[in-house]
Amino acid sequence: MSDASKALSEKLFYTKKTVYESVDSTTIDEAMAFAGPYAAYLDAGKTERECVAISIKLAEENGFTPYRFGDPLSPGDRRYYNNRGKNLFLFTVGTEDINEGIRISAAHIDSPRIDLKQCPLYEDGGMGFFKTHYYGGIKKYQWTAIPLALHGVVIKADGTSVEIVIGEDDSDPVLYINDILPHLGQEQAKKALGEAIRGEQLNLLIGAQPYADADAATPVKLNIMNILNEKYGIVEEDFLTAELTAVPAFKARDIGLDRSMIGAYGHDDRVCAYPALKAIIDAADSRHTLLCILADKEETGSDGNTGMQCSVMCDLISEIALARGGNVNLVRANSKCLSADVAAAYDPNFAEVYEKRNSAILGCGVVLTKFTGSRGKGGTSDANAEYIGWLRGCMARAGVIWQTSEMGKVDAGGGGTVAKYIANQNIDVVDLGVPVISMHAPYECIAKVDLYEAYRAFAAFNRD
Ligand code: MN
Ligand code: MN
């Protein structure tokens, strides 16, 4: 190539670059350091309830106080609204006219998992089990033969609540889902992956020792119930009013000999929730009014009163607008939102489902996804070019390294996020998040530099 054509190519062509070649070594060091507290956040928050609790703790340590609808609000206020312990809204009141709109970052804190049924406990073949109904989009075979922890709450007959976490401490027992040994798995091996393990086979193994009294009809079940009764004061009927779930018992750890990645359960979507939360906590004296939403129920369609289709976000925006003397409709029309959710990272092991030119590449920074959906962009809000153009300027001013992506090949499938539910409220919104390898697996993988660019992107969006 001649020098002239080389110069012209550099001037005219777009080339995706890695974070490593785009930022200085100080920023890389910051990215590596940022990963430590994130890993701790993951280990402390494996359910939406636990994420709300740890997020409130972090917020309160940084001056946030509880908000009640109707409270007066003044510039500089740092408040949080806890929706049923499963959905959290954190906001800071800015100095500018509220009619300029609110800067919103919305992530979700629920992840795919194995929920217990309401009548879960039974005994068969000398073993005690919990029946389950999985939550969100999982590949069922991935959840067998791995250590699982039990998390959740039980509401007792007297209305009191018992919190349960078993399997996270190294000295705890774990739960387990059985699979067929390969020696007898010849018929299973011929089945499609999606049918090799069925929903009704995802039963949690919880015991194998009978109660000392051999007369009991179900001695293993009795022994388990007795252990639970002694430890938590619960009886079998209390499962009817419980929310219990099995999640991977793994802790977050560095992946790679270079320690450049993090393996963990629940990166989707805590890898966006954490930097969005950090960005609002770290935003001091903001001119804009900022709102960070940590939503529940995204993995099952954002329905319900803790999901993003609930009116609570608009109720809160109305409250803030009215308390600051604004016009509710104007505030919504002028608000800007980042739907903070993960992207599928290009995986060379499964290259056939990706279109590489339009895939998120691990290590190339935070991902901006103009549209999601499937089958001809069905079910997406598809962000406006003008809004993305504004965001591009915002990222450039802050030196944030970003890339665009769509999930995979056009006909390979698809998915959605909370973006459309926010867009439907007359708010400009686009998806922005971290690329993930093995999304929805019990142990997902992300790159530390992408996580840090996400944090820098949320901070820039809040500040600009
Ligand atoms: Mn997600
Ligand atoms: Mn998901």
Side-chain angles (χ1 to χ4, degrees):
M1 203 176 350
S2 72
D3 284 354
S5 67
K6 195 175 169 210
L8 193 60
S9 298
E10 273 170 17
K11 186 181 163 197
L12 297 181
F13 287 169
Y14 165 68
T15 315
K16 193 182 281 196
K17 290 201 175 89
T18 68
V19 175
Y20 303 101
E21 61 192 312
S22 308
V23 302
D24 57 24
S25 62
T26 312
T27 308
I28 300 295
D29 291 346
E30 286 169 5
M32 298 302 144
F34 192 84
Y38 169 57
Y41 182 86
L42 285 170
D43 291 341
K46 289 194 173 180
T47 65
E48 61 278 358
R49 288 177 190 273
E50 292 167 357
C51 279
V52 164
I54 181 76
S55 300
I56 286 177
K57 185 169 175 284
L58 291 173
E60 285 186 339
E61 286 167 5
N62 288 277
F64 283 74
T65 57
Y67 170 79
R68 245 183 59 169
F69 284 166
D71 282 356
L73 294 170
S74 312
D77 281 1
R78 292 158 83 78
R79 310 295 293 271
Y80 68 84
Y81 179 74
N82 178 353
N83 179 19
R84 297 171 170 85
K86 299 160 91 173
N87 166 212
L88 188 64
F89 296 79
L90 305 107
F91 63 97
T92 63
V93 182
T95 50
E96 71 182 2
D97 182 356
I98 191 66
N99 286 332
E100 295 294 319
I102 299 173
R103 298 286 164 92
I104 306 166
S105 307
H108 67 92
I109 47 175
D110 61 317
S111 298
R113 63 188 188 220
I114 310 289
D115 284 349
L116 265 62
K117 294 194 185 192
Q118 294 321 116
C119 294
L121 184 59
Y122 73 102
E123 172 177 346
D124 200 354
M127 290 174 271
F129 295 98
F130 282 144
K131 291 295 298 176
T132 70
H133 193 140
Y134 65 93
Y135 173 98
I138 63 165
K139 293 163 91 171
K140 299 184 196 83
Y141 72 89
Q142 292 182 330
W143 295 72
T144 66
I146 60 168
L148 297 164
L150 187 70
H151 291 234
V153 295
V154 180
I155 311 299
K156 295 201 283 188
D158 63 3
T160 57
S161 162
V162 184
E163 225 172 290
I164 292 183
V165 179
I166 303 170
E168 295 298 341
D169 193 276
D170 285 343
S171 64
D172 280 354
V174 292
L175 313 185
Y176 184 82
I177 295 175
N178 304 354
D179 197 356
I180 305 176
L181 59 166
H183 317 65
L184 298 177
Q186 292 184 28
E187 286 306 312
Q188 183 195 40
K190 288 179 199 159
K191 291 180 183 168
L193 269 180
E195 290 154 16
I197 298 286
R198 297 191 318 278
E200 293 298 346
Q201 291 175 318
L202 293 176
N203 302 312
L204 292 161
L205 179 60
I206 51 167
Q209 184 176 352
Y211 189 74
D213 174 7
D215 289 345
T218 50
V220 175
K221 175 179 167 178
L222 182 63
N223 196 41
I224 293 292
M225 207 56 245
N226 189 47
I227 289 167
L228 289 171
N229 182 262
E230 282 179 353
K231 187 157 185 203
Y232 301 105
I234 59 174
V235 296
E236 189 179 11
E237 194 177 348
D238 294 332
F239 286 121
L240 303 182
T241 50
E243 273 183 5
L244 291 166
T245 190
V247 297
F250 313 127
K251 298 231 181 313
R253 296 185 71 157
D254 286 350
I255 286 187
L257 304 182
D258 55 8
R259 295 181 172 267
S260 60
M261 297 166 282
I262 306 171
Y265 163 67
H267 280 312
D268 178 8
D269 183 33
R270 291 153 196 154
V271 74
C272 299
Y274 180 75
L277 171 70
K278 263 303 263 165
I280 194 168
I281 284 176
D282 293 347
D285 307 322
S286 178
R287 173 169 100 256
H288 309 300
T289 293
L290 308 177
L291 171 61
C292 172
I293 306 172
L294 305 180
D296 180 28
K297 294 282 178 282
E298 193 277 341
E299 296 295 358
T300 54
S302 297
D303 295 291
N305 59 14
T306 53
M308 280 308 297
Q309 295 201 61
C310 173
S311 71
V312 61
M313 176 189 76
C314 287
D315 295 346
L316 182 60
I317 291 174
S318 299
E319 293 283 335
I320 296 170
L322 293 170
R324 298 301 305 141
N327 175 294
V328 173
N329 292 332
L330 202 53
V331 170
R332 259 154 63 173
N334 287 335
S335 289
K336 292 180 168 68
C337 178
L338 294 177
S339 162
D341 209 342
V342 296
Y346 172 78
D347 188 337
N349 295 302
F350 306 97
E352 66 277 10
V353 299
Y354 296 94
E355 194 269 281
K356 200 172 180 182
R357 286 178 192 80
N358 285 285
S359 290
I361 306 294
L362 204 73
C364 286
V366 69
V367 180
L368 196 150
T369 303
K370 185 176 186 294
F371 56 87
T372 57
S374 56
R375 297 172 303 281
K377 299 193 178 182
T380 178
S381 48
D382 201 348
N384 299 311
E386 291 82 353
Y387 180 50
I388 299 181
W390 173 81
L391 205 55
R392 175 184 175 182
C394 175
M395 296 299 128
R397 286 186 281 280
V400 174
I401 309 308
W402 63 284
Q403 54 181 325
T404 62
S405 88
E406 58 180 279
M407 189 175 262
K409 278 188 177 161
V410 174
D411 292 326
T417 65
V418 301
K420 63 179 174 182
Y421 306 116
I422 296 166
N424 290 350
Q425 302 304 327
N426 191 27
I427 294 169
D428 268 315
V429 56
V430 70
D431 282 299
L432 181 129
V434 175
V436 175
I437 293 281
S438 307
M439 194 192 295
H440 283 207
Y443 214 56
E444 304 173 315
C445 175
I446 62 107
K448 293 177 180 177
V449 291
D450 296 331
L451 163 67
Y452 193 56
E453 290 309 298
Y455 168 71
R456 300 211 303 132
F458 294 123
F461 170 77
N462 287 343
R463 199 170 50 233
D464 200 279

